[in-house]
Amino acid sequence: MTHESTAVGLASAYSNATTASGDWWRDAVIYQVYVRSFADSDGDGIGDLRGVRSRLPHLARLGVDAVWLTPFYVSPQADGGYDVADYRAVDPLFGDLADADELVRAAHELGLRVIVDVVPNHTSEQHPWFRAALAGEPGARERYLFRRGRGADGSLPPNDWESIFGGPAWTRVADGEWYLHLFAPEQPDLDWTHPEVTAEFDSVLRFWLDLGVDGFRIDVAHGMVKADGLPDIGRGAQATLIGTEPLPFFDQDGVHEIHRAWRRLLDSYEGARIGVAEAWAPSSERLALYVRPDELHQAFNFRFLNCPWDPGAMRTVIDESLSATTAVGAPTTWVLSNHDVVRHVTRYGGGAQGLARARAAAMLMLSLPGSAYLYQGEELGLPEVADLPPESRQDPAFRRGRRQQIPVPAVDPAPGPGPAAPGIIAPRPGEPTPPQSAPSPHSQPESGAGPQPHACCGPQTRAGAGPGPDPLTAPQAHAPTRPQAETGTGAQPQACCGPEAVTGAGPEAEMGGGAGGDPPTAPEADGQDGLRDGCRVPIPWAGAEPPYGFGPVGSWLPQPPEWAGLSVAAQTGDPHSTLELYRAALELRRAMPGLGAPEAGPSPDPRGMRWLPSPDGVLLFTRPGFACTLNTRPEPVELPAPGRPVLSSAPVQTDGRTVRLPPDSCTWWAF
């Protein structure tokens, strides 16, 4: 018979053994909110903190444990808010400090924890410290990495380091000195050997901890310390080396003392406040150093995000990741998508195939030991939007300019918002390597953009209905959409290399802006693949046409007309929908004692899981009282039933003794 698995009624059959622990983060499911694209409360077409607060009931009902908010601080928005001008204030684009306080309180009332971004490697060029440095204030330049140039007249950069966005990592100011910016010129790197830098960030962390946040996602956690003497690397294409071999500007041993100090600070607060590293390291063992018992709590597992739709590659990544983190007593942190990569529905092929694989991959991720991160809209099965009109693009990579020399003193331009850019593309096995665009700093690696996405189609599905729809709060009408600043320099983005799950080999490229840029050339104006706007399109909440309840009028990026069927309201209560699949999976993850934390349940394996023999193309592993099967093949596969099916990403045929696994599907079993 065909079994349409459901989680309804299963929760009472199990006791949750993993969430009672004070170490909530060890098996937490954390939902990333890209604030600009989540919900708009004031009618300017841009998401804001009040909008996020109005939609928190959706996240509580989804079943996540915490919310991670992307930067909402005062910023010129040259890099989507990752260029911070004031770390203790909310940009008026997103609200004010009272809105942040109310959001944190509302989340806590719903049982949700709140994690916010902190950006310690660099500031905005409009930060008071950097403005003082350019104005010649005594001692101000010592907080940054200013150096004299090489050559008789100092006209050459101090070393051969390259920006992640392409070109030199140095910009010369009018008096002849150069400053280091590993990312955009608008993001000057701080000198973490200066005691004022250390003291300032301790103060910033305490400010937000005192407000009540539960932790920090640490941007470029591997980058704050540079090798003594800033030595040359001696080769180009340095961005392609990130995460593959040692570099003098990333993953230096000195960063660990910073993280130890921050861990002591976090531990001084009640309530298990956490630090999450966005870190790139040459090996799983080096990455595990960031989550030693006296350092940070989690580190993103980008290797899992990069993994192709291949069972052998998946098993290797899972084993090596678990082995490295288990050796230091930490959980592994899994992720499939974020605001800097092509959505995994499209990475996995797009259309019906991409959706089927994305649903299966999500179930696989949620069944693994450790913590998992979800990116907003993935619970709706949203694809990448690859056909945005050129005039709507906001990613700085789309309109690249040439950086002008910075005068001294600096002029105080009015801030103008506008987000960030793309990444490098890995070929499929056997294919030639395409030209590489530069990878970037913020969050995860960029993927190839994949083929043109399609609407969610077909009943590829799980089962498990839930109660009626969430209350969909109607935002208030206000002013028209605020225009965005669009500047930047960087490498030409590349197209995706085909229908398989192909992702980048390094962090995504974020092209910074510069004054006086040239207009886009034809390839830039026509190109869509590789840019990050497509994963940042505001998500649909309800209604038959845009903006689908995102706000009262419009959205900063246009939403596709076919998204009406993908909205929260449209999918709620539909047992075949991706939203109900996620809700059921998260309900079971809480309910079944064999899921979640690595130490959950008795097992000879400290990771709580064991691989079993399986047919080619199939992964089969068990955890206490639980089994997971993943069929990566394009056709059904028969095997002995490992237990009683409780949830599946597609209808499963079983007679109780054998099972016919659907193609590109994942099934959970109880025994």
Side-chain angles (χ1 to χ4, degrees):
M1 68 174 182
T2 300
H3 186 91
E4 298 236 13
S5 305
T6 175
V8 173
L10 286 173
S12 61
Y14 302 95
S15 62
N16 188 345
T18 66
T19 59
S21 167
D23 292 342
W24 62 272
W25 45 272
R26 297 189 70 87
D27 63 347
V29 177
I30 300 173
Y31 186 99
Q32 182 193 354
V33 166
Y34 188 66
V35 175
R36 180 184 292 269
S37 297
F38 197 62
D40 170 24
S41 73
D42 60 11
D44 65 355
I46 299 171
D48 48 50
L49 296 180
R50 288 187 181 183
V52 174
R53 189 184 67 190
S54 75
R55 298 299 187 178
L56 289 176
H58 166 69
L59 304 184
R61 182 175 172 198
L62 184 62
V64 301
D65 301 291
V67 181
W68 157 31
L69 302 173
T70 55
F72 50 79
Y73 314 114
V74 170
S75 166
Q77 303 292 324
D79 186 20
Y82 286 95
D83 51 317
V84 181
D86 186 341
Y87 289 85
R88 298 177 182 82
V90 174
D91 195 295
L93 188 68
F94 304 120
D96 56 29
L97 195 57
D99 293 325
D101 180 68
E102 291 169 7
L103 191 161
V104 171
R105 292 175 184 272
H108 288 168
E109 289 173 0
L110 291 169
L112 298 169
R113 292 176 168 89
V114 178
I115 296 169
V116 299
D117 254 298
V118 65
V119 186
N121 180 71
H122 47 262
T123 70
S124 165
E125 66 178 349
Q126 295 305 317
H127 190 283
W129 278 4
F130 195 71
R131 292 174 55 77
L134 293 183
E137 180 179 304
R141 291 192 180 186
E142 295 175 7
R143 301 172 182 136
Y144 294 90
L145 290 161
F146 277 84
R147 296 290 187 273
R148 303 300 300 178
R150 295 193 290 195
D153 58 356
S155 62
L156 299 176
N159 66 19
D160 68 356
W161 294 3
E162 296 173 353
S163 166
I164 303 304
F165 306 140
W170 298 89
T171 288
R172 196 179 193 190
V173 300
D175 66 2
E177 283 202 319
W178 298 74
Y179 71 87
L180 179 70
H181 53 87
L182 291 179
F183 303 107
E186 294 86 351
Q187 296 167 290
D189 279 42
L190 288 161
D191 185 347
W192 270 85
T193 67
H194 196 292
E196 288 185 25
V197 175
T198 302
E200 169 67 1
F201 276 90
D202 282 354
S203 175
V204 167
L205 296 187
R206 290 186 183 280
F207 178 87
W208 291 103
L209 290 168
D210 290 341
L211 186 131
V213 305
D214 300 282
F216 301 93
R217 176 265 191 188
I218 301 166
D219 186 63
V220 197
H222 56 298
M224 291 100 82
V225 174
K226 282 69 176 177
D228 290 342
L230 309 183
D232 284 342
I233 294 173
R235 53 191 292 195
Q238 293 164 12
T240 64
L241 309 178
I242 298 170
T244 63
E245 60 182 80
L247 292 170
F249 50 71
F250 279 161
D251 192 40
Q252 295 294 301
D253 287 340
V255 300
H256 296 289
E257 188 51 46
I258 298 171
H259 298 318
R260 289 188 187 98
W262 284 2
R263 178 60 180 264
R264 292 191 294 270
L265 191 157
L266 290 165
D267 287 348
S268 71
Y269 281 77
E270 295 181 354
R273 317 291 181 95
I274 71 167
V276 183
E278 185 245 352
W280 287 88
S283 67
S284 295
E285 291 73 22
R286 287 289 299 181
L287 183 63
L289 299 180
Y290 290 82
V291 289
R292 287 177 288 190
D294 63 344
E295 293 197 36
L296 301 176
H297 299 75
Q298 296 181 339
F300 288 120
N301 188 346
F302 297 147
R303 292 189 63 207
F304 184 73
L305 184 152
N306 277 335
C307 194
W309 188 252
D310 176 82
M314 290 177 175
R315 178 167 174 172
T316 296
V317 167
I318 291 168
D319 282 344
E320 291 181 355
S321 300
L322 289 171
S323 177
T325 54
T326 299
V328 296
T332 299
T333 302
W334 314 98
V335 63
L336 287 168
S337 280
N338 63 53
H339 69 292
D340 287 320
V341 302
V342 171
R343 287 186 177 274
H344 58 280
V345 167
T346 300
R347 294 205 319 267
Y348 287 147
Q353 181 188 66
L355 180 62
R357 290 176 172 182
R359 290 159 58 95
M363 286 188 60
L364 171 66
M365 176 179 72
L366 291 171
S367 67
L368 295 171
S371 178
Y373 278 73
L374 310 180
Y375 176 51
Q376 66 178 44
E378 75 170 78
E379 78 276 20
L380 306 177
L382 296 185
E384 188 82 356
V385 180
D387 58 352
L388 290 167
E391 64 272 12
S392 73
R393 304 298 300 215
Q394 298 294 326
D395 195 320
F398 189 67
R399 289 179 171 85
R400 300 172 297 156
R402 293 189 181 92
R403 180 68 177 178
Q404 303 289 313
Q405 185 183 65
I406 297 180
V408 178
V411 178
D412 185 7
I424 68 176
I425 296 160
R428 288 176 298 189
E431 290 187 343
T433 302
Q436 299 294 301
S437 62
S440 134
H442 300 311
S443 218
Q444 273 69 287
E446 174 68 284
S447 69
Q452 176 78 17
H454 301 279
C456 172
C457 50
Q460 301 196 257
T461 121
R462 96 29 62 207
D470 296 321
L472 297 172
T473 306
Q476 302 173 1
H478 280 286
T481 302
R482 175 176 171 181
Q484 306 294 307
E486 299 176 38
T487 56
T489 92
Q492 173 90 17
Q494 303 296 321
C496 171
C497 38
E500 298 300 321
V502 180
T503 60
E508 83 289 359
E510 294 200 32
M511 315 293 185
D518 296 335
T521 62
E524 293 160 341
D526 295 340
Q528 304 292 332
D529 295 341
L531 300 178
R532 296 172 300 168
D533 288 322
C535 67
R536 297 176 176 185
V537 174
I539 66 175
W541 292 96
E545 58 187 33
Y548 304 119
F550 168 69
V553 290
S555 59
W556 69 283
L557 288 172
Q559 300 155 303
E562 63 268 22
W563 274 16
L566 299 181
S567 72
V568 173
Q571 295 196 45
T572 292
D574 176 1
H576 301 298
S577 72
T578 301
L579 175 58
E580 293 297 351
L581 174 66
Y582 270 74
R583 286 172 171 168
L586 291 174
E587 180 185 354
L588 279 171
R589 182 180 166 94
R590 287 178 178 271
M592 298 184 72
L595 290 179
E599 66 272 18
S603 171
D605 189 327
R607 298 168 301 185
M609 66 176 288
R610 182 183 299 106
W611 296 104
L612 298 182
S614 58
D616 289 343
V618 174
L619 292 179
L620 169 58
F621 67 84
T622 63
R623 299 183 66 189
F626 169 87
C628 178
T629 53
L630 177 76
N631 180 17
T632 66
R633 292 165 58 171
E635 67 277 340
V637 175
E638 290 191 2
L639 71 159
R644 174 173 60 88
V646 293
L647 188 66
S648 182
S649 65
V652 170
Q653 294 179 342
T654 180
D655 59 8
R657 296 184 300 275
T658 61
V659 60
R660 184 176 174 85
L661 298 176
D664 294 325
S665 70
C666 185
T667 305
W668 290 0
W669 308 80
F671 59 84

